[in-house]
Amino acid sequence: MSIDFYWRLPTHGCHSSIHRGSYDRGDWSPPGPHNIAPGFDRDHGEDGFTYIDHLAEIAKAAESAGFLGGLIPSFPNTDDPWVISPLLARETKSFRFMIAFQPGFGNPVHTARMTASLQRATGGRTLFNIITGGGGPAQLWWGDSFAHDDRYGRTSEWLDVFRGVWSGEDFSYKGRFYEVERGGLPPLLRAEEFPELWFSGSSEAALQVASKHADYYLSWLEPFDQLSDKFAKVKERTAALGGEQKCAVRVDLVARPTEEEAWRDIRLGFENVTDQTRQQWRGQATDSVGAARQAALRPSEARHYEDLIVAPNLWGGFNLLRGGPALGIVGSYEQCAARLDDLIQRGADGFILAGTPHLEEAWRIGEEVLPLLGHDASALLQAAE
Amino acid sequence: MTIRTYWQIDTAAEPQRAEPALRPALPGLVRDQRSSTQNRFDYYAQLAQAAAQTGFDGVFLPYRRDADESRIVAAIIARAAPRIHVVPEFPASVGSAVYAAKQAATFQRSTHGRLGWAIAPDEDAPTRAAEGDYVDADALDGRLDEFLTVARGVQTSRPFSFAGQHFEVDKGGFDAPLGRASFPTVYLQGESEEALSLSARHADVHLFAAAPVERLAPLIEQLDSLAVRAGRSVAFGLLQPVLVRDTQEEAGQEAARQPIARGTLVGSFDDVAERLARFSELGISHFVLSSSPSLEEGYRVGQHLLPRLHSLTGAHRAVA
């Protein structure tokens, strides 16, 4: 058995330290003397680098440090994964581009052509994190007014068409949301491997679509028992349809030589969180079931970082330090590896890991944590026997 | 007038070049070490670098249903070739206008603003159906109008709301830093009254298919006055295939040897430069030139035709 490990490209800027609230890598915070990509040259002019140059550094670090590739998230104020991937295609060797994508945003026939072209450019290094949108005002911001369950129906049809035009030249389809008459990719394009699909979504509608289309069912980290149940349910459902469902976890790590150092960094990060960030943390309108499952974890008032420790090595305040899910793993290298081993025991077949700063932490986790994996699991197995 | 020149990179042209499955096999006595990682995109990058090195201001990537997708190729070659502008052509049926604009913003941020958008002319009904595009024929202009209105709207204003027949946005628009990106230069085409009127409202550059000066003159005049009425100005461009050699005779010989595109200007460097200069007197300032094979002809045109054209039009190469 082998497990797929992916890293993440931060598409909303990056911090040079988990302690800092400002994005001093990229231009999401006002420019300053410490900022890079873009930064200032010695004459205080722009140095000519842009954020893509920093993302290139992270991608190259990740592929060298042992990651298969990276998730490239997409939110209203991030750079876009469909452009980042081809921009970085020729300066990476094995890095696989996991494009986070809401299928409703692109014509499925044209998107298949784009994807096959990207496969040709990269030697088959494209895959997708299919997302169906958080709903609420953000969905209208994107120009998408579909209701929650309709969006999943649309995603399902979209994937039917996307796969259909990839498989033949004379594909026709008539659905509620999409129609195609005698479409299909030309032979050179459809000769490419169909991309792997990682599927997110925690609602009933999402799970149904995942069973039909997903290679990997991807979840944010949740308390381990809750996650085990979710994975078991998804695997069971897909097995009932005659398939085999792989599962994956997306999780941030703070891995340090000792546990004390790891919690110290969490404490320093927590103490620098502004009141404004805390306000935003309390609720944004969404119909995302995954977000609600995360929100349910939060104590309503956290005064100390310790208030957010939900289990050994599990901290529930990561979304105070950066956008995204709340729960992450904190500990020594050995503890972080042991927690990942636990997750593998509980059904995880793949991971998307991340840490701040993304460049240096790609090396650290690749060099210090990944090599420890499997030892703890085999010890557990021996103990059981 | 500043003349801008573009070389056409056609993803469907010279299909055997750098295409591992199509390139001619070498005989066994030739030691062949071409690696499996070499592919068609090496050729596209080489074409873009050739265009940059031989003095073109940009490259134009026509929309091809049966070959690599123009915006993917555009991003790859923009990173591979410095300085030049990159203009992929794509249909307005690609999907969400907000999403297209967002992709453009990242492209602009990552390339110091070198992106152009050329919207492909409408296809016939069976082709649109094969593309999953079920907008009625008489609604296509309206869809394009809305597509560009929304795309520019979210890039340049916040909050931006819009409710049309094809697109709807509520309190949209990009925040900083994406909102600081410049909207791509928009290139539109077509000769119908509707096409010219769309250009008057939306195009930065209107591209004409190759045609004689006499035929273009009234269209230019018509679009000029429509643009004035819309309170805008639109530049004019020409999609012009060429076949140039040292002498008229050599060019003629070459033309007899190969199929050439309709409207190709065949002639000596001097002769074709003069004919292009006549278009520039008419007000045409963007020249999208093409010839096959793209690499060799690109060098020829860049090294020998462009300097003559620039000297005739008194314009220096535009600095990107």
Side-chain angles (χ1 to χ4, degrees), chain B residues 90-167:
Chain B
F90 58 91
S93 59
V94 290
S96 150
V98 175
Y99 200 64
K102 193 154 182 291
Q103 292 172 320
T106 290
F107 197 115
Q108 294 291 60
R109 286 163 45 70
S110 305
T111 62
H112 299 283
R114 294 191 276 134
L115 179 66
W117 267 7
I119 306 298
D122 297 329
E123 310 244 33
D124 60 21
T127 306
R128 294 202 307 277
E131 288 297 307
D133 183 16
Y134 272 82
V135 170
D136 286 339
D138 57 8
L140 291 170
D141 287 329
R143 193 252 308 268
L144 176 54
D145 194 341
E146 289 190 14
F147 181 87
L148 291 169
T149 301
V150 170
R152 195 186 289 274
V154 294
Q155 177 59 64
T156 57
S157 54
R158 171 114 173 94
F160 175 82
S161 295
F162 182 88
Q165 297 293 310
H166 308 274
F167 300 100

Side-chain angles (χ1 to χ4, degrees), chain B:
Chain B
M1 180 165 53
T2 305
I3 299 292
R4 287 188 173 267
T5 57
Y6 308 75
W7 189 240
Q8 174 168 291
I9 298 180
D10 183 342
T11 54
E14 300 110 44
Q16 78 290 353
R17 280 214 167 153
E19 186 68 61
L22 298 181
R23 66 189 176 202
L26 293 172
L29 72 87
V30 179
R31 188 175 178 194
D32 190 352
Q33 291 208 318
R34 286 177 290 187
S35 95
S36 61
T37 60
Q38 284 173 327
N39 63 34
R40 180 78 174 159
F41 285 75
D42 295 309
Y43 185 54
Y44 302 143
Q46 193 184 9
L47 291 173
Q49 282 157 355
Q53 287 178 30
T54 57
F56 286 92
D57 301 298
V59 292
F60 181 86
L61 299 134
Y63 168 59
R64 295 287 180 247
R65 288 185 63 226
D66 288 340
D68 287 311
E69 200 271 340
S70 61
R71 285 183 301 170
I72 293 291
V73 179
I76 284 176
I77 63 180
R79 187 82 176 152
R83 194 184 65 77
I84 52 163
H85 285 260
V86 183
V87 186
E89 182 190 50
F90 58 91
S93 59
V94 290
S96 150
V98 175
Y99 200 64
K102 193 154 182 291
Q103 292 172 320
T106 290
F107 197 115
Q108 294 291 60
R109 286 163 45 70
S110 305
T111 62
H112 299 283
R114 294 191 276 134
L115 179 66
W117 267 7
I119 306 298
D122 297 329
E123 310 244 33
D124 60 21
T127 306
R128 294 202 307 277
E131 288 297 307
D133 183 16
Y134 272 82
V135 170
D136 286 339
D138 57 8
L140 291 170
D141 287 329
R143 193 252 308 268
L144 176 54
D145 194 341
E146 289 190 14
F147 181 87
L148 291 169
T149 301
V150 170
R152 195 186 289 274
V154 294
Q155 177 59 64
T156 57
S157 54
R158 171 114 173 94
F160 175 82
S161 295
F162 182 88
Q165 297 293 310
H166 308 274
F167 300 100
E168 192 181 341
V169 180
D170 188 39
K171 298 183 187 67
F174 302 158
D175 283 324
L178 271 64
R180 287 198 291 266
S182 58
F183 193 68
T185 310
V186 173
Y187 300 73
L188 300 181
Q189 302 168 52
E191 297 185 0
S192 68
E193 208 170 317
E194 296 75 25
L196 295 179
S197 139
L198 256 173
S199 264
R201 280 173 285 130
H202 290 290
D204 296 301
V205 181
H206 186 89
L207 294 174
F208 290 107
V213 166
E214 314 79 67
R215 196 178 132 78
L216 296 182
L219 294 169
I220 286 177
E221 207 173 303
Q222 192 186 348
L223 177 46
D224 243 344
S225 65
L226 286 170
V228 167
R229 253 180 280 160
R232 301 179 70 246
S233 78
V234 177
F236 301 101
L238 193 61
L239 294 160
Q240 182 61 66
V242 295
L243 205 174
V244 287
R245 291 294 182 270
D246 277 323
T247 66
Q248 179 77 44
E249 192 193 357
E250 288 169 81
Q253 275 173 1
E254 190 59 38
R257 210 173 283 151
Q258 54 170 287
I260 57 172
R262 199 161 57 92
T264 301
L265 293 180
V266 179
S268 67
F269 299 130
D270 285 324
D271 175 46
V272 171
E274 272 171 34
R275 285 152 78 182
L276 293 177
R278 249 172 275 149
F279 285 109
S280 86
E281 284 162 20
L282 200 65
I284 287 174
S285 56
H286 294 251
F287 291 92
V288 179
L289 304 176
S290 59
S291 194
S292 186
S294 313
L295 184 75
E296 296 88 326
E297 296 297 327
Y299 270 94
R300 189 172 270 128
V301 169
Q303 283 199 284
H304 301 295
L305 178 63
L306 295 191
R308 286 170 167 85
L309 173 62
H310 289 307
S311 111
L312 284 174
T313 55
H316 296 288
R317 189 197 298 176
V319 178

Side-chain angles (χ1 to χ4, degrees), chain A residues 222-232 293 314 343 346:
Chain A
E222 296 182 3
F224 283 19
D225 288 340
Q226 194 176 320
L227 193 65
S228 301
D229 290 348
K230 190 171 172 185
F231 282 173
R293 283 171 74 106
L314 287 196
L343 289 168
R346 288 163 180 269

